[in-house]
């Protein structure tokens, strides 16, 4: 998934990636928004990976 691309990056880069994904939420199909939110949570350290 998207967040895995940034696993070895610093926190600032992860936050930028999360912000980028947040900026595109409005353009995503409704069924993709849930998964995108999970990816944002992983990038921001709010959700632990499975």
């Amino acid at each position: 998934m998207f967040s895995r691309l940034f696993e070895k990056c610093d926190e600032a880069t992860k936050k930028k990636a999360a912000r980028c994904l947040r900026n595109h939420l409005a353009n995503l199909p409704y069924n993709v928004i849930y998964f995108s939110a999970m990816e944002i949570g992983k990038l921001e350290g709010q959700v632990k990976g499975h």
Side-chain angles (χ1 to χ4, degrees):
M1 298 284 218
F2 185 75
S3 62
R4 285 190 174 178
L5 297 172
F6 299 93
E7 283 180 339
K8 295 181 181 180
C9 294
D10 61 10
E11 292 303 313
T13 302
K14 289 179 183 179
K15 288 192 183 281
K16 288 179 184 178
R19 188 176 332 124
C20 177
L21 194 51
R22 282 180 187 276
N23 289 338
H24 288 85
L25 283 177
N27 300 321
L28 295 174
Y30 71 92
N31 59 339
V32 178
I33 291 176
Y34 171 79
F35 296 107
S36 299
M38 292 295 290
E39 292 300 297
I40 291 169
K42 289 177 187 175
L43 287 166
E44 293 178 347
Q46 298 170 6
V47 177
K48 300 296 180 198
H50 299 285

